[in-house]
């Protein structure tokens, strides 16, 4: 057997470069890296040697680098991903939040944090966490609960089994998620005689599991018995590449579709069978048919509480759940009729069995009424003598967008209002990280989206709170020439949580800057801040000025940042649904007592 002598780090990156997806593209599109003493000598040297074949990108923060990698794979429907390497200690732990984000959203990413010396020679090494009772523990053990596959590389030859397992996990549609290879820093630099065949090109294909015969028969029987079924379209529709299949299925059998945050854009907003977003941040049209449905057919959804109105949305006493999901854990939730299979394959099998079976046409007036209300709140104000609302900002961005525009966000006010109001035309034109709803994902995520699909027009919607949490990858976007448009809505604090606080009877406290413990008023010049990182930054005062700035952003040579002050209080009056947010049983505030009574009443609606 022919061998090649390489360091463990050199072997790892050579293996990464040899892994191909079924489209013939490198599965690992590049490596994000911040070097420290835990990876500069091993991984840094190895990445330098292969930089023409496997590009390395330098970010500003390990968490946001991982966010960019995760957004990249989400935008490409999990067909490709990136790796992220860090040093030991703080650099590694910065990535844990991003690992959790990828874990919740079922997204593949390869995380390679440095670790302590396997030989324990310099014990304790710089930045080492010492467990007084367990000598095997390191900071990287924090990755275990948020990784789909975790391995600690303590000998060079362990890569021979660890790397195939890592790629098996990342490319498996059911187990897909983050992989952490905790790479001891001394081992990174150790050499080993690896078999040359280990570095042969390998193609990783997307498996499409077919449904079990008995499960399929039960699902068909449930559909045929239903009078008023609905489809809840989740992110799995996108990951399976099943948008056209879903469209044909809904059209052929006349089944209305409602969309989760992850599933939005599975159908065009104006498709006759798309009744809009579901649940807490849903449309009145979608929630009205959800309340009456006798069969709730989830396709690629994990039935998160925002989708189900904390399980109070589906009110029909006779209703049943049918869940088509590639992951058995998700298809069996809440005593659902389980159909474990690839979404595209499962829909094809079902439509073949249903033949020409059709249900009663859904009430189209529900959609017309909803969009009339949505258009009213997103319209440009007739007078510009007051602060614009976030809804009006969304309207301006909508009017400035094109078919190839991707609008994205993650946390705060915008996710809910975008879910309700944004009119997505094409699949994957709506990119929302709402599984973990991680503040700070936005700018790094926009960078990853644009790297994934350079031809797309990427608009990042971010509140001032999220921007303050993590904005440094704006400098990376400028340096790399990755042109995105960032719209910062400045409501001077955490407006979304402030409204939730008020809605549960609480006093306004510690959310808006005006209600925080401070000696000096906070007045942040976001325009100057973004400009200092090289962005083309503008402050606008009106919706008309915002639309003008959005048009101008298309011809800019660098990322554009547009800042607009907004009113932190208004929300859409129509749409939405109850959400289980616990209210204190005991309080001196009358408002809390009222909220608690309403909460106890709402709990009775849960099924």
């Amino acid at each position: 057997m022919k061998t090649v002598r390489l360091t463990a780090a050199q072997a790892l990156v050579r293996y990464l470069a040899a892994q191909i997806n079924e489209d013939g593209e490198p599965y690992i599109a590049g490596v994000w890296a911040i070097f420290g003493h835990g990876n500069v000598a091993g991984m840094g040297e190895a990445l330098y040697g292969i930089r023409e074949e496997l590009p390395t990108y330098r970010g500003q923060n390990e968490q946001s680098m991982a966010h960019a990698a995760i957004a990249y794979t989400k935008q490409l429907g999990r067909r490709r991903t990136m790796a992220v390497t860090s040093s030991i200690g703080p650099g590694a732990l910065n990535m844990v939040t991003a690992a959790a984000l990828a874990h919740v959203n079922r997204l593949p990413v390869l995380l390679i944090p440095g670790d302590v010396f396997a030989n324990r020679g310099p014990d304790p090494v710089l930045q080492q966490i010492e467990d007084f009772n367990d000598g095997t523990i390191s900071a990287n053990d924090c990755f275990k609960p948020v990784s789909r596959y975790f391995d600690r590389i303590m000998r060079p030859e362990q890569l021979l089994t660890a790397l195939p397992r890592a790629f098996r996990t990342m490319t498996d549609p059911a187990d897909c998620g983050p992989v952490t290879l905790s790479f001891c820093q001394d081992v990174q630099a150790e050499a080993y005689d690896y078999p040359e065949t280990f570095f042969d090109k390998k193609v990783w294909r997307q498996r499409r599991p077919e449904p079990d015969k008995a499960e399929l028969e039960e699902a068909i029987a449930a559909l045929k018995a239903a009078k008023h079924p609905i489809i809840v379209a989740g992110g799995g529709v996108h990951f399976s590449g099943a948008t056209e299949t879903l469209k044909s299925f809904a059209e052929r059998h006349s089944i209305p579709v409602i969309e989760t945050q992850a599933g939005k854009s599975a159908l065009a907003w104006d498709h006759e069978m798309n009744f809009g977003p579901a649940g807490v941040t849903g449309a009145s049209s979608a929630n009205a048919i959800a309340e009456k449905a006798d069969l709730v057919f989830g396709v690629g959804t994990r039935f998160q509480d925002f989708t189900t109105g904390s399980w109070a949305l589906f009110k029909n006493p006779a209703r049943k759940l049918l869940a088509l999901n590639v992951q058995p854990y998700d298809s069996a939730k809440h005593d659902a009729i389980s159909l474990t299979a690839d979404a595209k394959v499962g829909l094809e099998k079902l439509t073949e069995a249903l033949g020409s079976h059709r249900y009663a046409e859904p009430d189209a007036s529900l959609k017309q009424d909803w969009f009339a209300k949505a258009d009213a709140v997103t319209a440009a104000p007739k007078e510009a003598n007051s602060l614009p609302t976030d809804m009006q900002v969304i309207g301006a961005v909508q009017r400035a967008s094109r078919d190839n525009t991707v609008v994205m966000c993650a946390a705060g006010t915008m996710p809910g209002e975008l879910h309700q109001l944004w009119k997505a035309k094409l699949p994957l034109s709506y990119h929302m990280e709402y599984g973990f709803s991680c503040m700070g994902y936005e700018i790094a995520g926009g960078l990853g989206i644009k790297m994934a699909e350079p031809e797309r027009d990427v608009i990042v919607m971010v509140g001032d709170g999220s921007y303050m949490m993590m904005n440094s990858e704006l400098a990376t976007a400028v340096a790399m020439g990755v042109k995105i448009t960032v719209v910062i809505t400045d409501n001077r604090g955490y407006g979304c949580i402030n409204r939730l606080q008020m809605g549960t009877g609480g006093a306004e406290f510690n959310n808006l800057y005006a209600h925080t413990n401070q000696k000096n008023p906070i007045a942040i010049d976001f325009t100057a801040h973004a400009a200092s990182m090289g962005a083309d930054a503008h402050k606008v005062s009106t919706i008309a000025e915002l639309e003008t700035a959005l048009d101008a952003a298309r011809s800019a040579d660098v990322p554009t940042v547009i800042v607009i002050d907004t009113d932190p209080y208004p929300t859409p009056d129509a749409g939405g649904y109850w959400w289980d947010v616990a209210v204190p049983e005991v309080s001196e505030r009358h408002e809390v007592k009222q909220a608690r009574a309403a909460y106890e009443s709402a709990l009775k609606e849960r099924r």
Side-chain angles (χ1 to χ4, degrees):
M1 179 177 63
K2 290 185 178 181
T3 61
V4 55
R5 191 161 182 82
L6 300 168
T7 68
Q10 291 164 356
L12 186 147
V13 299
R14 184 180 290 196
Y15 184 91
L16 297 189
Q19 309 311 299
I20 308 298
N21 70 10
E22 57 190 323
D23 298 322
E25 303 164 314
Y27 182 74
I28 301 293
V31 182
W32 288 95
I34 290 178
F35 297 134
H37 74 88
N39 67 343
V40 67
M43 284 294 295
E45 189 276 341
L47 287 168
Y48 176 81
I50 202 171
R51 64 193 182 282
E52 298 299 327
E53 187 176 354
L54 182 66
T56 296
Y57 305 107
R58 219 306 294 277
Q60 314 303 322
N61 180 284
E62 292 86 357
Q63 178 181 328
S64 53
M65 290 193 311
H67 285 170
I70 293 163
Y72 180 95
T73 190
K74 178 179 172 69
Q75 190 61 28
L76 292 179
R78 306 195 301 198
R79 298 192 306 277
R80 304 179 73 190
T81 190
M82 292 179 165
V84 189
T85 182
S86 77
S87 65
I88 182 180
L93 290 180
N94 279 348
M95 293 196 295
V96 173
T97 298
L101 185 154
H103 191 283
V104 169
N105 288 285
R106 279 69 163 161
L107 293 169
V109 65
L110 179 58
L111 306 175
I112 313 169
D115 208 332
V116 300
F117 272 58
N119 66 27
R120 302 190 185 181
D123 188 42
V125 71
L126 178 65
Q127 297 180 331
Q128 180 174 342
I129 298 294
E130 293 182 275
D131 188 300
F132 298 161
N133 302 298
D134 188 341
T136 68
I137 293 290
S138 84
N140 287 351
D141 286 276
C142 295
F143 283 98
K144 288 182 177 179
V146 291
S147 298
R148 291 290 182 195
Y149 177 75
F150 177 93
D151 208 339
R152 180 171 277 114
I153 308 303
M154 302 182 69
R155 292 180 60 87
E157 62 267 34
Q158 290 175 347
L159 291 175
L160 294 169
T161 52
L163 285 171
R165 289 171 182 169
F167 275 81
R168 196 284 308 170
T169 300
M170 289 189 292
T171 59
D172 187 292
D175 289 347
C176 187
V179 167
T180 301
L181 297 181
S182 179
F183 208 174
C184 291
Q185 54 193 293
D186 56 335
V187 178
Q188 292 183 26
E190 290 180 17
Y192 182 77
D193 295 318
Y194 291 93
E196 286 188 352
T197 55
F198 186 58
F199 306 106
D200 290 346
K201 296 288 185 183
K202 179 175 175 58
V203 177
W204 296 88
R205 295 180 175 84
Q206 180 177 359
R207 290 191 299 107
R208 293 191 176 276
E210 301 216 355
D212 172 78
K213 181 180 177 182
E215 286 192 350
L216 181 62
E217 290 174 351
E218 187 177 8
I220 293 166
L223 281 163
K224 287 183 175 180
K227 300 297 183 184
H228 304 287
I230 61 167
I231 296 169
V232 181
V237 175
H238 292 295
F239 297 149
S240 176
T243 54
E244 284 299 315
T245 309
L246 174 66
K247 176 184 173 183
S248 298
F249 183 84
E251 289 173 348
R252 181 171 183 177
H253 305 296
S254 185
I255 306 178
V257 176
I258 62 179
E259 297 175 313
T260 71
Q261 283 277 18
K264 190 174 173 75
S265 80
L267 294 183
W269 71 274
D270 55 355
H271 187 275
E272 60 182 351
M273 286 298 144
N274 187 351
F275 276 71
V280 177
T281 55
S284 57
S285 51
N287 290 343
I289 61 170
E291 287 185 339
K292 297 178 181 179
D294 60 353
L295 182 67
V296 178
F297 179 21
V299 181
T301 177
R302 60 194 185 98
F303 286 118
Q304 187 244 18
D305 67 337
F306 258 59
T307 300
T308 66
S310 297
W311 291 102
L313 176 58
F314 309 122
K315 293 184 180 297
N316 189 330
R319 74 104 168 118
K320 294 181 178 180
L321 290 178
L322 168 61
L324 168 57
N325 203 293
V326 73
Q327 171 53 253
Y329 180 89
D330 289 320
S331 65
K333 281 179 177 172
H334 291 268
D335 200 30
I337 298 169
S338 175
L339 185 59
T340 303
D342 172 77
K344 187 174 187 296
V345 171
L347 288 172
E348 289 171 346
K349 295 288 185 181
L350 289 172
T351 202
E352 180 183 343
L354 289 173
S356 59
H357 188 90
R358 285 180 63 84
Y359 302 92
E361 296 294 327
D363 184 358
S365 67
L366 291 172
K367 287 186 60 173
Q368 296 164 1
D369 291 346
W370 167 251
F371 283 114
K373 294 172 182 175
D375 289 344
V377 297
T378 56
K382 295 180 180 179
E383 298 181 4
N385 56 0
S386 61
L387 285 175
T389 67
D390 291 302
M391 298 164 277
Q392 291 166 342
V393 170
I394 290 172
V397 175
Q398 183 84 69
R399 291 187 291 276
S401 68
R402 300 173 289 187
D403 283 351
N404 77 329
T405 295
V406 178
V407 66
M408 68 84 64
C409 192
T413 296
M414 277 297 170
E417 297 191 1
L418 283 167
H419 191 212
Q420 284 187 316
L421 304 172
W422 187 259
K423 297 175 178 177
K425 190 68 176 177
L426 297 176
L428 297 171
S429 62
Y430 179 85
H431 183 118
M432 187 64 63
E433 192 293 291
Y434 213 56
F436 211 47
S437 188
C438 185
M439 296 179 73
Y441 173 86
E442 295 90 346
I443 290 175
L447 170 61
I449 294 167
K450 188 70 172 179
M451 291 176 71
E453 295 190 305
E455 71 282 2
R456 292 273 208 165
D457 178 24
V458 179
I459 299 180
V460 176
M461 307 286 279
V462 60
D464 57 304
S466 277
Y467 180 87
M468 287 296 289
M469 280 201 176
M470 193 163 290
N471 53 60
S472 56
E473 299 310 338
L474 181 60
T476 306
V478 170
M480 293 176 60
V482 178
K483 202 177 82 167
I484 58 176
T485 300
V486 179
V487 178
I488 302 175
T489 52
D490 183 4
N491 60 19
R492 297 151 302 285
Y494 301 146
C496 174
I497 295 301
N498 187 64
R499 293 192 302 273
L500 182 61
Q501 188 175 51
M502 295 168 65
T504 53
E508 294 185 77
F509 172 62
N510 207 48
N511 285 310
L512 298 183
Y513 288 136
H515 309 137
T516 60
N517 187 354
Q518 55 181 290
K519 291 184 178 180
N520 300 308
I522 296 176
I524 302 162
D525 189 339
F526 292 105
T527 312
H529 185 270
S532 74
M533 288 190 280
D536 184 18
H538 308 272
K539 178 70 177 284
V540 299
S541 300
T542 66
I543 293 299
E545 291 177 4
L546 173 59
E547 292 191 45
T548 300
L550 286 165
D551 287 336
R554 291 201 181 96
S555 58
D557 295 326
V558 294
T560 297
V561 174
I562 307 168
V563 183
I564 185 168
D565 291 341
T566 59
D567 189 331
Y569 293 103
T571 58
D573 292 328
Y577 216 79
W578 178 71
W579 183 34
D580 189 347
V581 178
V583 179
E585 285 193 64
V586 178
S587 174
E588 295 179 355
R589 285 180 56 82
H590 174 68
E591 295 88 345
V592 174
K593 294 176 182 178
Q594 284 185 315
R596 178 68 194 189
Y599 174 71
E600 291 177 355
S601 177
L603 281 175
K604 297 175 183 176
E605 299 297 318
R606 171 181 281 165
R607 296 189 68 247

